[in-house]
Amino acid sequence: MASDSKAARWKVLLGYAAFAVVAFVLGLLITFPYDAVRKRLVTEAAQAGYAVRMDSLRPGLAGVTATNVRVSKPPQPLSADALASLIGGGGMLGAAELGEPFILDSVALRPALFPPGVAMRASVMGGTLSASVGLLGDTRVKVTASGLQASGGNLSKFSGLELDGELNGALALTLPKSGAQADLSQADGELKLDTQGLAIKGGTVAIPMGGGTAVPMELPPIDLGALTGRIQFVKGLGTVESLRMKSNELEAMATGTLKLGKRLEYSEPGMDVNIKLDPEFQKRLGMLGAGVTILPPDKKDPSFRAARLAGFLNRPTFLPRR
């Protein structure tokens, strides 16, 4: 009789525990401050010069999960009305006001403990993009791209190029604080690239030939092959330890530096680039291929043409190397 009573008490306790868990989950779903979190995410992005929209925002495992997230760079700073519309869902705004978006299928955000900060995991382009930001002391940023398909998502609309291949890479930076803000221009860390089977199937690209405005050019299919590289950053100055692209149609190698700016688009490349094209492929490139012949032969290996990549990341220049 006593054993039956103990068994009954155990079942009651289990039932209460299960009810408490269900009640907690339901309460979280009902009372979670979705609007406040959406407002914070959209406002922070707008301050950095980006527009963020999402279809839904819901609690996830120890954090929040957003679906169908669209990130774009507006051609003009967002007005107060546009920002209010984004916070409310942004249904009336399109590419003309916000720019062409980069789409992430889902994004999960949660607190991170080691180091204390925020962690993100996104499903995008058939692969995974994960990141963490440590907020205790200097800002520590880690980003890993794994198995992203260049043909996936809407990258073709975002970039203006039809691409194929698998994209992989890793970035780890430590940004010292300048007042309350993290200073990208003084960051230490490393960037690694490992891309396989990269190809351009068509599209239009602005080629920064000479010191003038970049000229839009239609591109034929191009087999870019593998893109691998490693850049080491010390106090904001990145040294290119290796950066190479190689396929059956072309080979390109870069050496030099990448000086980080306080904003990424103002970072300054200072790289010597050597390019070698297959003769048949060079003919197929038309005007672009003819432009490569203007570049002088490299002094160490005349089979390569020598160029200089300079300017800023948002306005690069590509000139013959002296």
Side-chain angles (χ1 to χ4, degrees):
M1 197 69 179
S3 62
D4 292 342
S5 176
K6 290 182 179 179
R9 189 179 300 116
W10 176 82
K11 292 178 180 178
V12 170
L13 292 175
L14 181 60
Y16 276 122
F19 174 78
V21 171
V22 172
F24 173 78
V25 173
L26 289 176
L28 181 62
L29 290 172
I30 294 171
T31 63
F32 189 82
Y34 300 100
D35 292 340
V37 173
R38 182 193 295 270
K39 181 178 180 180
R40 179 64 180 271
L41 292 173
V42 171
T43 302
E44 291 286 344
Q47 291 177 354
Y50 295 92
V52 172
R53 291 164 286 170
M54 62 195 76
D55 280 359
S56 68
L57 186 66
R58 65 180 187 273
L61 184 63
V64 295
T65 298
T67 59
N68 194 25
V69 179
R70 286 95 72 199
V71 182
S72 57
K73 181 75 172 177
Q76 301 293 335
L78 293 173
S79 65
D81 290 341
L83 181 57
S85 178
L86 284 178
I87 293 173
M92 301 301 293
L93 301 175
E97 298 87 0
L98 303 179
E100 194 66 46
F102 181 73
I103 299 176
L104 300 96
D105 299 328
S106 67
V107 179
L109 295 173
R110 62 173 178 79
L113 297 178
F114 302 104
V118 178
M120 180 204 79
R121 184 178 178 87
S123 296
V124 55
M125 296 167 55
T128 302
L129 185 67
S130 59
S132 64
V133 180
L135 301 177
L136 185 62
D138 292 341
T139 300
R140 293 174 174 82
V141 178
K142 291 185 178 180
V143 181
T144 303
S146 178
L148 275 61
Q149 302 302 312
S151 58
N154 71 325
L155 185 60
S156 59
K157 290 184 179 180
F158 183 77
S159 65
L161 298 173
E162 293 184 35
L163 300 170
D164 200 3
E166 183 175 288
L167 312 177
N168 301 284
L171 173 68
L173 291 177
T174 299
L175 288 66
K177 292 288 182 64
S178 177
Q181 299 293 324
D183 190 352
L184 179 63
S185 67
Q186 295 298 312
D188 297 329
E190 183 181 63
L191 170 65
K192 292 181 179 180
L193 299 173
D194 181 13
T195 297
Q196 304 297 325
L198 192 61
I200 297 174
K201 295 183 176 180
T204 303
V205 64
I207 304 295
M209 296 296 290
T213 304
V215 178
M217 291 187 180
E218 291 289 333
L219 292 180
I222 301 175
D223 177 15
L224 300 175
L227 171 62
T228 58
R230 184 172 183 265
I231 302 177
Q232 192 76 30
F233 295 94
V234 177
K235 295 189 179 301
L237 181 63
T239 300
V240 179
E241 298 189 355
S242 64
L243 188 57
R244 185 182 186 189
M245 177 179 290
K246 183 175 176 58
S247 73
N248 293 327
E249 295 181 336
L250 63 86
E251 184 174 359
M253 296 177 291
T255 58
T257 62
L258 175 61
K259 180 68 178 71
L260 296 175
K262 289 186 177 294
R263 296 185 61 170
L264 183 61
E265 57 265 40
Y266 300 137
S267 298
E268 303 174 52
M271 300 184 190
D272 290 337
V273 182
N274 285 359
I275 303 173
K276 179 165 63 175
L277 304 180
D278 175 79
E280 291 300 321
F281 170 64
Q282 187 167 352
K283 292 179 183 178
R284 187 154 50 88
L285 282 177
M287 289 183 60
L288 185 58
V292 174
T293 63
I294 299 174
L295 302 174
D298 179 63
K299 295 179 180 179
K300 294 182 179 179
D301 186 348
S303 67
F304 284 86
R305 296 286 178 166
R308 179 74 176 175
L309 178 64
F312 299 93
L313 286 186
N314 63 340
R315 294 188 64 183
T317 60
F318 195 70
L319 301 167
R321 190 161 76 236
R322 296 178 180 177

